[in-house]
Amino acid sequence: MEEYQKLVLAEPDSAVSYPLKEAFLALRQAVESVEVETNLDIETELDTPL
C-alpha cells in the first residue's frame, strides 16, 4: 500500500487526476480507521475475563 501511495502521489502533474488522489487518500484513511477500531475491539475482548 505504501508503494502504491508513493506512485499515486509522486508527481503533481502525473496521469493520475487530483480527484482520484483525493479518493485514494480518503479510502486509505477509512481503512486505517476500521483497522484501529477492530484492533481496539479485539483488545477489549481479550481484557474481558471469561
Side-chain angles (χ1 to χ4, degrees), residues 3-50:
E3 290 302 314
Y4 185 74
Q5 180 172 326
K6 287 178 190 175
L7 291 171
V8 168
L9 302 178
E11 308 233 358
D13 299 326
S14 70
V16 179
S17 68
Y18 187 78
L20 183 57
K21 290 178 183 184
E22 286 181 323
F24 171 79
L25 292 175
L27 180 60
R28 177 145 192 203
Q29 287 177 336
V31 168
E32 289 174 353
S33 174
V34 169
E35 288 175 348
V36 168
E37 290 175 14
T38 301
N39 288 338
L40 290 175
D41 289 344
I42 291 170
E43 289 173 6
T44 301
E45 288 177 15
L46 292 175
D47 292 339
T48 304
L50 298 174

